[in-house]
Amino acid sequence: MCNNIKIDGEAVEFVQGDTILQAAERAGKGHLIPRYCYHPGLPIAGTCRMCTVEVEKMPKLMTACSTIATDGMVVNTKSERVLKSRAGVMEFLLTNHPLDCPVCDKAGECELQDNNYRYGPVTSSFLEEKRVYSKAATKKLSPNITLNMNRCVHCERCVRFTEEVVKSCDLMMINRGWHKELTLSDEKLGLTSNYQGCLSDICPVGAHTFNDFRFKKRSWFLEQYPSVCDRCSKGCNISVHSENGVVYRFKPHYNEKVNGHWICDEGRLSYHQVMDATRIVKPLLAHEGSLKSTSWELAGAAVNYLITSASKVKVVIGTDATNEEMKYIQASLPDKFGKKFEFSSYCGYGEDKKLDHMLMMKDKTPNSNGASACKLNHLDGDLVGDCDVAILIRYGRSGVPQVKNCKKIIIIGVWTQKEIGSFGTNVEVVLPGLATTEKSGTYINCDGVSQNFSPAIAHLGEGLAVNSIISFFKK
Amino acid sequence: MMEEKILTKHINTLNCHTLDFYLANGGYNSLKKAFEIGSDAIIEEVKKSNLRGRGGAGFPTGMKWSFMPKNPVDAKGNPKPKYLVCNADEGEPGTFKDRLIMSKNPHSLIEGMVIAAKAVGACRGYIYIRGEFFKEARILQSAIDDARKKGFLGKDILGSKMDFELFVYRGAGAYICGEESALLNSLEGKRGEPRLKPPFPAQVGAFGMPTCVNNVETFAVVPYILEHGGPKFASLGTEKSGGTRLFCVSGQVERPGIYELSMRTTLRELIDIAGGVRGGKKLKAVIPGGASAPMLTATEIDIPMCFDAMMKAGTMAGSGGAIVMSEDVCIVEATSILLRFYEHESCGQCSQCREGSHWLARMFVRIEAGKGTHKDLEMIERICSNMAGQTICAFADAVTGPVLSAVRKFRSEFEDHVRQRRCPQKIASRTIDAMEIDRGRAHV
């Protein structure tokens, strides 16, 4: 069956039930139709009237977001009437907008700015006083989200998000007409969902801003690279926003199979671990009772000595390592030092299960399924012991196992000073590795989806990929 | 004038709202007839009567009923119930006819609804009554209780095996809830905001079920149509708009009130019947069909008050509420008052309507205070053209209709306001001082 509509003279295929806007998006022509209230992850509202297009044989302009596409429809997105209507909507929306772009965090990625640049009037003819919501100019809806009602364009994406997606029903509109106002359903409770950051993502203007990012960086300085969130076994796709190797925020990256359009706040804030000030980013060597920073060559030589002189070495790999790392470690260590190794994996969060109806999982490590795929058995009883040397490899997400009856510990990966402190003076060598956003590899998520990723930022310390680290262990 | 009266025949009699009085005057006979002839014949009769929706849009009622699906089923193949909703949220400024029907003749409404329920196959009816009509809601409720006791409502009505329950639901005072889909939202307990159409209420209405929404007056004349036949009712009106209609006349006339007249009656006749312009003054303008209808000037009133003729004259018959303005009225002030109403009542979901009604209202306050510019008049035209026909419901058209007609037909008054920097018709008692402007602002 051939389902075609014509958008600006070009035939576009659509799936039965698509609206004009969805058909356009499917064909990569979504940019032709501006929108505010429409969001692919939310139910259709059709209220902003920005997406109106001219459809042949229909007397009125139709909203592309809500008009069902039918075979043979001829759609014009650039006619004079359409442009006039868009300019009209822009003018209306801007009448009461404070135009505080210089201090607004959304500036640079604001749909109101973008659309006004493309379609809006150059000047304003609004001579009246602007509407001011004095009480809601900067209102903290929760520790994560700040609302500036004056910037709101009343698209109600956020209301529909809390009602239909996270189903927490935290937000609602009160009052009518031009002083319609967004409020919390329960002022005392505030926002209750674990997906509050998404409110800031879906807000087309700067009404909802994420407190963690507020006043940190202008969005146009940020480079964006895709990666995978390693905060739980779901493996949500993210886009890492950074400048000069410093991560400023994570944003969700659409993936229909994994996370759709959303990520949880825990994952969103997990970039702090990569940027943690106490993270160890230089090789350390035990010297006179404390760990001193050293060179890779010396650290490698120390490891070489420790392993060669040992007869039994236990290697514990956290389930936050990539498949490639797990395989490489299992292959290369026996290759260099002979069969004295005993490999196991460690997660530290117990049986995995869903924590809510959306994305969050109980297992807070990204690759438990990968560890089983790499034939690693889980460590028995959270305890490493009865060996000469223990090698603990972990990338900041899995739990820290306990070590007993072993005086020499080699630490590899992403660790903070506090985590290492728990082993006391038994740590001989610390070799810093790369976090998920800094390396490439593959994770297998809780649903068995294998996801490959590339580095999103450059590592700022002296940490190295695991193959480079092992290359220093000369035999 | 000895015209046939349908709804207002007995309104001057004591206790005309009681069931006993209604039964004594042939009440509920049409219902018996309806059960005899069956649903298709009822719809056929209503189609023949040329009855058009009395709420304002003038949609042919018989056609609306025939759009209701015969045997709707849900996704699993289970039959869906159908609902009947009576729109008694009479909020249009200048209209007060439904209130009279509900307080003086509630049983004709109930009978009409049961007949309609039989015609469309509805099992449940809701009367969404305006929140302010407290007394009417009480009268209606007791009328429903009486009718249920006599077996005109409830299970197995008059031995016909048809069940029909009727409920009164009081609104919370929003003008927009008179729009049928907003009414349905409000009935469901949601925000009273119009829904996207399609799907129309006949497919997805109250609680997701097929629903038929009609005005109070529309339902109330149905018993007459069944009793006397469609053609008789049609003959009372014009070719395409059948029957008589309740016209509400307000403003500067000698005898404001409700007049039941044929649809053939012209606007001039209506004003004359209402006693002419008060104090022998000259007529300046008339809003013919409730506040949303564009204004007519004194020279344009020789047209019948039926839907088509009004449409031809560039206005609308609407809800039949004529607001008469004499030469004393300042059109700028009158429009400004209207706009402040609309600014307050826009539901606020569509961008154009929410911001545009506010902008216009503020602009008119400014012009009224003598601070307008000549550019403002062009601006009004531009704002209106950006609003009209671009929103989910017809509210934006209701805002722009009177405004555009006022600006176009009474342009000189606006220009006088701008040129003289004050209202030329300023009368001491109606001084528009800064205080009043501030009060207007505080009001909205």
Side-chain angles (χ1 to χ4, degrees), chain A residues 44-49 52 60-61 63 66 84-85 88-89 91-93 95-96 125-129 131 153-154 156 173-180, chain B residues 173-174 176 191 193 196 343-352 354-356 358-359 362-363 366 376 379 382-383 385-387 389-392 441 444:
Chain A
I44 288 164
T47 56
C48 72
R49 319 306 283 180
T52 46
K60 277 187 175 183
L61 293 178
T63 44
S66 65
K84 185 174 169 283
S85 158
V89 176
E91 190 175 12
F92 285 132
L93 290 179
T95 53
N96 284 311
S125 15
F126 186 69
L127 300 174
E128 275 52 54
E129 249 175 72
R131 165 187 62 210
V153 292
H154 301 82
E156 293 190 43
M173 285 284 183
I174 53 163
N175 295 341
R176 254 193 328 249
W178 70 283
H179 54 257
K180 181 169 173 180
Chain B
I176 193 63
R191 262 181 86 85
E193 287 177 343
L196 271 178
E343 179 195 31
H344 187 60
E345 294 295 345
S346 165
C347 81
Q349 53 171 352
C350 303
S351 310
Q352 288 101 328
R354 177 182 66 242
E355 308 291 346
H358 167 59
W359 190 352
R362 296 296 111 210
M363 191 183 252
R366 188 158 52 79
D376 284 342
M379 280 285 297
R382 199 164 61 82
I383 296 171
S385 74
N386 280 334
M387 284 173 75
Q390 309 242 14
T391 50
I392 288 181
R441 203 167 277 155
V444 290

Coordinates of all heavy atoms in Angstrom, one line a residue, chain A residues 44-49 52 60-61 63 66 84-85 88-89 91-93 95-96 125-129 131 153-154 156 173-180, chain B residues 173-174 176 191 193 196 343-352 354-356 358-359 362-363 366 376 379 382-383 385-387 389-392 441 444:
Chain A
I44 N -0.8 14.7 22.2 CA -1.0 15.8 21.4 C -2.0 16.8 22.1 O -3.0 16.4 22.5 CB -1.4 15.4 20.0 CG1 -0.2 14.8 19.3 CG2 -1.9 16.6 19.2 CD1 -0.6 14.0 18.1
A45 N -1.7 18.1 22.1 CA -2.6 19.1 22.7 C -3.1 20.0 21.6 O -4.3 20.3 21.6 CB -1.9 19.9 23.8
G46 N -2.3 20.4 20.7 CA -2.8 21.3 19.6 C -3.2 22.7 20.1 O -4.1 23.3 19.5
T47 N -2.5 23.2 21.1 CA -2.9 24.5 21.6 C -2.1 25.7 21.2 O -2.5 26.8 21.3 CB -3.0 24.4 23.1 OG1 -1.8 24.0 23.6 CG2 -4.1 23.5 23.6
C48 N -0.8 25.4 20.9 CA 0.1 26.6 20.7 C -0.2 27.2 19.3 O 0.1 28.4 19.1 CB 1.5 26.2 20.8 SG 2.1 25.2 19.4
R49 N -0.8 26.5 18.4 CA -1.2 26.9 17.1 C 0.0 27.4 16.3 O -0.1 28.2 15.3 CB -2.2 28.1 17.1 CG -3.3 27.9 18.2 CD -4.0 26.6 18.0 NE -4.9 26.5 17.0 CZ -5.7 25.4 16.7 NH1 -5.5 24.3 17.5 NH2 -6.5 25.3 15.7
T52 N 0.7 25.5 12.4 CA -0.4 25.5 11.4 C 0.3 25.4 10.0 O 1.3 26.0 9.8 CB -1.3 26.7 11.5 OG1 -0.4 27.8 11.7 CG2 -2.2 26.6 12.6
K60 N -9.6 26.3 6.4 CA -8.8 26.9 7.4 C -7.4 26.4 7.4 O -7.1 25.3 6.9 CB -9.4 26.5 8.8 CG -10.6 27.4 9.2 CD -11.0 27.0 10.6 CE -12.1 27.8 11.2 NZ -12.4 27.5 12.6
L61 N -6.5 27.1 8.1 CA -5.1 26.5 8.3 C -5.3 25.4 9.3 O -6.1 25.5 10.3 CB -4.2 27.6 8.9 CG -3.9 28.8 8.0 CD1 -3.0 29.7 8.7 CD2 -3.1 28.3 6.8
T63 N -3.6 22.6 12.1 CA -2.5 22.3 13.0 C -1.8 21.0 12.5 O -2.5 20.0 12.5 CB -2.9 22.2 14.4 OG1 -4.0 21.4 14.5 CG2 -3.1 23.5 15.0
S66 N -1.9 17.9 14.9 CA -3.1 17.1 15.2 C -3.9 16.7 14.0 O -4.9 15.9 14.2 CB -4.0 17.9 16.1 OG -4.5 19.1 15.5
K84 N 2.3 34.2 7.8 CA 1.6 35.3 8.5 C 1.0 34.8 9.9 O 1.2 35.4 10.9 CB 0.4 35.8 7.7 CG -0.3 37.0 8.3 CD -1.3 37.6 7.3 CE -2.1 38.6 8.0 NZ -3.2 38.1 8.9
S85 N 0.5 33.6 9.8 CA -0.1 33.0 11.0 C 1.0 32.8 12.1 O 0.9 33.1 13.2 CB -0.8 31.7 10.7 OG -0.9 30.9 11.8
G88 N 2.1 35.9 13.5 CA 1.1 36.3 14.5 C 1.3 35.6 15.8 O 1.3 36.2 16.9
V89 N 1.5 34.3 15.8 CA 1.6 33.5 17.1 C 2.9 34.0 17.8 O 2.9 34.3 19.0 CB 1.7 32.0 16.8 CG1 2.0 31.3 18.1 CG2 0.4 31.5 16.2
E91 N 4.3 36.9 17.6 CA 4.0 38.2 18.2 C 3.2 38.1 19.5 O 3.5 38.8 20.5 CB 3.3 39.1 17.2 CG 3.3 40.5 17.6 CD 2.6 41.4 16.5 OE1 2.1 40.9 15.5 OE2 2.8 42.6 16.6
F92 N 2.2 37.3 19.5 CA 1.4 37.1 20.7 C 2.2 36.6 21.8 O 2.1 37.0 22.9 CB 0.2 36.2 20.4 CG -0.9 36.8 19.6 CD1 -1.4 36.2 18.5 CD2 -1.4 38.1 19.9 CE1 -2.4 36.8 17.7 CE2 -2.4 38.7 19.2 CZ -2.9 38.0 18.1
L93 N 3.0 35.5 21.5 CA 3.8 34.9 22.6 C 4.8 35.9 23.2 O 5.1 35.9 24.4 CB 4.5 33.7 22.1 CG 3.6 32.5 21.8 CD1 4.4 31.3 21.3 CD2 2.8 32.0 23.0
T95 N 4.5 39.1 23.4 CA 3.9 40.3 24.0 C 4.2 40.3 25.5 O 4.5 41.3 26.1 CB 2.4 40.5 23.8 OG1 1.8 39.2 24.2 CG2 2.1 40.8 22.4
N96 N 4.0 39.1 26.1 CA 4.2 39.1 27.6 C 5.4 38.3 28.0 O 5.6 38.0 29.1 CB 2.9 38.4 28.2 CG 1.8 39.3 28.2 OD1 1.9 40.5 28.7 ND2 0.6 38.9 27.7
S125 N 5.0 45.6 18.6 CA 4.1 46.8 18.6 C 3.3 46.8 19.9 O 2.3 47.5 20.0 CB 3.2 46.8 17.4 OG 3.2 45.6 16.7
F126 N 3.7 46.0 20.9 CA 2.9 45.9 22.1 C 3.2 47.1 23.0 O 4.4 47.2 23.5 CB 3.2 44.6 22.8 CG 2.4 44.3 24.0 CD1 1.1 44.0 23.9 CD2 3.0 44.3 25.3 CE1 0.3 43.6 25.0 CE2 2.3 44.0 26.4 CZ 0.9 43.6 26.2
L127 N 2.3 48.0 23.2 CA 2.5 49.2 24.0 C 2.1 49.1 25.5 O 2.3 49.9 26.3 CB 1.8 50.4 23.4 CG 2.3 50.7 21.9 CD1 1.4 51.8 21.4 CD2 3.7 51.1 21.9
E128 N 1.3 48.0 25.7 CA 0.7 47.9 27.1 C 1.8 47.4 28.1 O 2.9 47.0 27.7 CB -0.4 46.9 27.0 CG -1.8 47.5 26.6 CD -1.8 48.3 25.3 OE1 -1.3 47.8 24.3 OE2 -2.2 49.4 25.4
E129 N 1.3 47.3 29.3 CA 2.2 46.8 30.3 C 2.3 45.3 30.2 O 1.3 44.6 29.9 CB 1.7 47.1 31.7 CG 2.5 48.1 32.5 CD 1.8 48.5 33.8 OE1 1.8 47.6 34.7 OE2 1.3 49.6 33.9
R131 N 2.6 41.4 31.4 CA 2.1 40.6 32.5 C 3.3 40.2 33.4 O 4.3 39.8 32.9 CB 1.4 39.3 31.9 CG 1.1 38.3 32.9 CD 0.6 37.0 32.2 NE 1.6 36.5 31.3 CZ 1.2 35.8 30.2 NH1 0.0 35.6 29.9 NH2 2.2 35.4 29.4
V153 N 5.4 30.0 28.0 CA 4.5 30.2 26.9 C 3.2 29.4 26.9 O 2.5 29.2 25.9 CB 5.2 30.0 25.5 CG1 6.3 31.0 25.3 CG2 5.8 28.6 25.4
H154 N 3.0 28.8 28.1 CA 1.7 28.0 28.3 C 1.5 26.9 27.3 O 0.4 26.7 26.9 CB 0.5 29.0 28.3 CG 0.6 30.1 29.3 ND1 1.3 31.2 29.1 CD2 0.1 30.2 30.6 CE1 1.2 32.0 30.2 NE2 0.5 31.4 31.1
E156 N 2.1 23.8 28.1 CA 1.7 22.8 29.0 C 2.3 21.4 28.7 O 1.8 20.4 29.1 CB 0.1 22.6 28.9 CG -0.6 23.8 29.5 CD -2.1 23.6 29.7 OE1 -2.5 22.5 30.2 OE2 -2.8 24.5 29.4
M173 N -2.3 23.7 35.9 CA -2.6 25.1 35.6 C -3.7 25.6 36.4 O -4.7 24.9 36.6 CB -2.9 25.3 34.1 CG -1.8 25.1 33.2 SD -0.8 26.6 33.2 CE 0.4 26.2 32.0
I174 N -3.6 26.8 37.0 CA -4.7 27.4 37.6 C -5.0 28.7 36.9 O -4.2 29.2 36.1 CB -4.5 27.7 39.1 CG1 -3.2 28.5 39.3 CG2 -4.4 26.4 39.9 CD1 -3.1 29.2 40.7
N175 N -6.2 29.2 37.2 CA -6.7 30.4 36.5 C -6.9 30.3 35.0 O -6.6 29.3 34.5 CB -5.8 31.6 36.8 CG -5.7 32.0 38.2 OD1 -6.6 31.6 39.0 ND2 -4.7 32.7 38.6
R176 N -7.5 31.3 34.5 CA -8.0 31.2 33.1 C -7.3 32.3 32.3 O -6.8 33.3 32.9 CB -9.5 31.5 33.0 CG -10.4 30.4 32.8 CD -11.7 30.9 32.5 NE -12.2 32.0 33.1 CZ -13.1 32.1 34.0 NH1 -13.7 31.0 34.4 NH2 -13.5 33.2 34.5
G177 N -7.3 32.2 31.0 CA -6.9 33.2 30.1 C -5.5 33.7 30.3 O -4.6 32.9 30.6
W178 N -5.3 35.0 30.2 CA -3.9 35.5 30.1 C -3.2 35.4 31.5 O -2.0 35.5 31.6 CB -3.9 36.9 29.6 CG -4.4 37.9 30.5 CD1 -5.7 38.1 30.8 CD2 -3.7 38.8 31.4 NE1 -5.9 39.1 31.7 CE2 -4.6 39.5 32.1 CE3 -2.3 39.0 31.6 CZ2 -4.3 40.5 33.0 CZ3 -2.0 40.0 32.5 CH2 -3.0 40.7 33.2
H179 N -3.9 35.2 32.6 CA -3.2 35.0 33.8 C -3.2 33.6 34.3 O -3.1 33.3 35.5 CB -3.6 36.0 34.9 CG -5.1 36.0 35.2 ND1 -5.9 37.0 34.7 CD2 -5.8 35.2 35.9 CE1 -7.1 36.7 35.1 NE2 -7.1 35.7 35.8
K180 N -3.4 32.7 33.4 CA -3.2 31.3 33.6 C -1.8 31.0 34.1 O -0.9 31.5 33.6 CB -3.4 30.6 32.3 CG -3.4 29.1 32.3 CD -3.9 28.7 30.9 CE -3.7 27.2 30.7 NZ -4.2 26.8 29.4
Chain B
G173 N -19.0 28.4 36.8 CA -18.9 29.8 36.4 C -17.9 30.2 35.4 O -17.2 31.2 35.5
A174 N -17.7 29.4 34.4 CA -16.8 29.7 33.3 C -17.6 29.9 32.0 O -18.4 29.0 31.7 CB -15.7 28.7 33.1
I176 N -16.5 29.8 29.0 CA -16.1 28.9 28.0 C -16.7 27.5 28.1 O -16.8 26.7 27.2 CB -14.5 28.8 28.0 CG1 -14.0 28.1 26.8 CG2 -14.0 28.0 29.2 CD1 -14.3 28.8 25.5
R191 N -10.3 20.5 33.6 CA -10.3 21.9 33.3 C -11.2 22.2 32.2 O -11.2 21.4 31.2 CB -8.9 22.4 32.9 CG -8.1 23.0 33.9 CD -6.7 23.4 33.3 NE -6.8 24.7 32.7 CZ -6.7 25.9 33.4 NH1 -6.4 25.8 34.7 NH2 -6.8 27.0 32.8
E193 N -11.6 23.3 29.2 CA -11.0 23.8 28.0 C -11.5 23.0 26.8 O -11.6 21.8 26.9 CB -9.4 23.6 28.2 CG -8.8 24.5 29.1 CD -7.3 24.3 29.3 OE1 -6.8 23.2 29.0 OE2 -6.7 25.2 29.9
L196 N -9.7 19.3 21.1 CA -9.4 19.3 19.7 C -10.5 18.5 18.9 O -10.9 17.5 19.4 CB -8.1 18.6 19.4 CG -6.8 19.4 19.5 CD1 -5.7 18.4 19.3 CD2 -6.8 20.4 18.4
E343 N -11.5 38.9 27.8 CA -10.1 38.8 28.4 C -10.2 37.9 29.6 O -9.3 37.0 29.8 CB -9.6 40.2 28.7 CG -8.2 40.2 29.3 CD -7.8 41.5 30.0 OE1 -8.8 42.1 30.5 OE2 -6.7 41.8 30.0
H344 N -11.2 38.1 30.4 CA -11.4 37.3 31.6 C -11.8 35.9 31.4 O -11.5 35.0 32.2 CB -12.4 38.0 32.5 CG -12.6 37.5 33.9 ND1 -11.5 37.4 34.7 CD2 -13.6 36.9 34.5 CE1 -12.0 36.9 35.9 NE2 -13.2 36.5 35.7
E345 N -12.5 35.7 30.3 CA -13.1 34.4 30.1 C -12.4 33.4 29.1 O -12.7 32.3 29.0 CB -14.6 34.5 29.6 CG -15.5 35.2 30.7 CD -15.7 34.3 31.9 OE1 -15.3 33.1 31.8 OE2 -16.1 34.8 32.9
S346 N -11.4 34.0 28.4 CA -10.6 33.1 27.5 C -10.0 32.0 28.4 O -9.5 32.2 29.5 CB -9.5 33.9 26.9 OG -8.6 33.0 26.3
C347 N -10.1 30.7 27.9 CA -9.6 29.6 28.7 C -8.1 29.6 28.8 O -7.5 29.1 29.7 CB -10.1 28.3 28.2 SG -9.2 27.6 26.8
G348 N -7.5 30.2 27.8 CA -6.0 30.4 27.8 C -5.2 29.2 27.3 O -4.0 29.1 27.5
Q349 N -5.8 28.3 26.5 CA -4.9 27.3 26.0 C -4.3 27.7 24.6 O -3.1 27.4 24.4 CB -5.6 25.9 25.9 CG -6.9 25.8 25.2 CD -7.4 24.3 25.1 OE1 -6.6 23.4 25.3 NE2 -8.6 24.2 24.7
C350 N -5.0 28.3 23.7 CA -4.4 28.7 22.5 C -3.7 30.1 22.6 O -4.2 31.0 23.2 CB -5.5 28.8 21.4 SG -6.4 27.3 21.1
S351 N -2.5 30.1 22.0 CA -1.7 31.3 22.1 C -2.5 32.6 21.7 O -2.5 33.6 22.4 CB -0.5 31.2 21.3 OG 0.2 30.0 21.6
Q352 N -3.1 32.5 20.5 CA -3.7 33.7 19.9 C -4.8 34.3 20.8 O -4.8 35.5 21.0 CB -4.3 33.4 18.6 CG -3.3 33.2 17.5 CD -3.1 31.7 17.2 OE1 -3.3 30.9 18.1 NE2 -2.8 31.4 16.0
R354 N -5.4 33.6 24.1 CA -5.0 34.0 25.4 C -4.3 35.4 25.4 O -4.7 36.3 26.1 CB -4.0 33.0 25.9 CG -3.4 33.3 27.3 CD -2.4 32.3 27.7 NE -1.3 32.2 26.9 CZ -0.9 31.2 26.1 NH1 -1.6 30.1 26.1 NH2 0.2 31.3 25.4
E355 N -3.3 35.6 24.5 CA -2.6 36.8 24.5 C -3.4 37.9 23.7 O -3.3 39.1 24.1 CB -1.2 36.6 23.8 CG -0.4 35.4 24.4 CD 0.0 35.7 25.8 OE1 0.0 36.8 26.3 OE2 0.5 34.7 26.5
G356 N -4.0 37.5 22.7 CA -4.7 38.5 21.8 C -5.9 39.1 22.6 O -6.0 40.4 22.5
H358 N -6.2 39.6 25.7 CA -5.6 40.5 26.7 C -5.1 41.8 26.0 O -5.4 42.9 26.5 CB -4.5 39.7 27.3 CG -3.6 40.6 28.2 ND1 -4.0 41.3 29.2 CD2 -2.2 40.8 28.1 CE1 -3.0 42.0 29.8 NE2 -1.9 41.7 29.1
W359 N -4.4 41.6 24.9 CA -3.8 42.7 24.2 C -4.9 43.7 23.8 O -4.9 44.9 24.0 CB -3.0 42.2 23.0 CG -2.2 43.2 22.3 CD1 -2.1 44.5 22.5 CD2 -1.2 42.9 21.3 NE1 -1.2 45.1 21.7 CE2 -0.6 44.1 20.9 CE3 -0.8 41.7 20.6 CZ2 0.3 44.2 19.9 CZ3 0.1 41.8 19.7 CH2 0.7 43.0 19.3
R362 N -6.6 45.5 26.8 CA -5.7 46.6 27.3 C -5.6 47.8 26.3 O -5.6 49.0 26.7 CB -4.3 46.1 27.6 CG -4.2 45.0 28.6 CD -4.6 45.5 30.0 NE -5.8 44.9 30.4 CZ -6.7 45.5 31.2 NH1 -6.5 46.7 31.6 NH2 -7.8 44.8 31.5
M363 N -5.6 47.5 25.1 CA -5.5 48.5 24.1 C -6.8 49.4 24.1 O -6.7 50.6 24.0 CB -5.3 47.9 22.7 CG -4.9 48.8 21.6 SD -4.8 47.9 20.1 CE -3.1 47.8 19.9
R366 N -6.9 51.7 26.9 CA -6.0 52.9 26.6 C -6.7 53.9 25.6 O -6.7 55.1 25.9 CB -4.7 52.4 26.0 CG -3.6 53.4 25.8 CD -2.3 52.7 25.7 NE -2.2 51.7 24.7 CZ -2.1 51.9 23.4 NH1 -2.0 53.1 23.0 NH2 -2.1 50.9 22.6
D376 N -3.1 52.5 16.3 CA -3.8 51.5 17.0 C -5.0 50.9 16.2 O -5.2 49.7 16.3 CB -4.4 52.1 18.3 CG -3.4 52.3 19.4 OD1 -2.3 51.7 19.2 OD2 -3.6 53.1 20.3
M379 N -3.6 48.4 14.1 CA -3.2 47.3 14.9 C -4.3 46.4 15.3 O -4.2 45.1 15.3 CB -2.5 47.8 16.2 CG -1.1 48.3 16.0 SD -0.1 46.9 15.9 CE -0.3 46.3 17.5
R382 N -5.1 44.1 12.6 CA -4.1 43.1 12.4 C -4.2 42.0 13.5 O -4.1 40.8 13.2 CB -2.7 43.8 12.4 CG -1.6 42.9 11.8 CD -0.4 43.7 11.5 NE 0.2 44.3 12.8 CZ 1.0 43.7 13.6 NH1 1.3 42.4 13.4 NH2 1.4 44.3 14.7
I383 N -4.3 42.5 14.7 CA -4.5 41.5 15.8 C -5.6 40.6 15.5 O -5.6 39.4 15.7 CB -4.6 42.2 17.2 CG1 -3.4 43.0 17.5 CG2 -4.9 41.2 18.3 CD1 -3.5 43.9 18.7
S385 N -7.1 39.8 12.7 CA -6.9 38.9 11.6 C -6.0 37.7 12.0 O -6.0 36.6 11.5 CB -6.3 39.6 10.4 OG -5.0 39.9 10.6
N386 N -5.1 38.0 13.0 CA -4.2 36.9 13.5 C -4.9 36.0 14.5 O -4.5 34.9 14.8 CB -3.0 37.5 14.2 CG -1.9 37.9 13.2 OD1 -1.9 37.4 12.1 ND2 -1.1 38.9 13.6
M387 N -6.1 36.5 15.0 CA -6.8 35.6 16.0 C -7.8 34.8 15.3 O -8.0 33.6 15.6 CB -7.4 36.5 17.0 CG -6.5 37.1 18.1 SD -7.4 38.3 19.1 CE -8.3 37.1 20.2
G389 N -10.3 32.5 13.6 CA -10.3 31.2 12.8 C -9.0 30.4 13.0 O -8.7 29.5 12.2
Q390 N -8.2 30.8 14.0 CA -6.9 30.1 14.1 C -6.8 29.3 15.4 O -5.8 28.7 15.7 CB -5.8 31.1 14.2 CG -5.9 32.1 13.1 CD -4.6 32.1 12.2 OE1 -3.9 31.1 12.3 NE2 -4.4 33.0 11.4
T391 N -7.9 29.2 16.1 CA -7.8 28.5 17.4 C -8.7 27.3 17.5 O -9.4 27.0 16.5 CB -8.3 29.5 18.5 OG1 -9.5 30.1 18.1 CG2 -7.3 30.6 18.7
I392 N -8.6 26.6 18.6 CA -9.3 25.3 18.7 C -10.8 25.5 18.6 O -11.6 24.9 17.9 CB -8.9 24.6 20.0 CG1 -7.5 24.1 19.9 CG2 -9.9 23.5 20.3 CD1 -7.1 23.3 21.2
R441 N -8.5 46.9 35.4 CA -7.3 46.1 35.4 C -7.3 45.1 36.6 O -6.9 44.0 36.5 CB -6.1 47.1 35.5 CG -4.8 46.5 35.0 CD -3.7 47.5 34.9 NE -3.8 48.2 33.6 CZ -3.3 49.5 33.5 NH1 -2.8 50.1 34.5 NH2 -3.4 50.1 32.3
V444 N -9.6 42.0 36.0 CA -9.1 40.9 35.2 C -7.8 40.3 35.7 O -7.6 40.0 36.8 CB -8.9 41.3 33.8 CG1 -10.2 41.6 33.1 CG2 -7.9 42.4 33.7

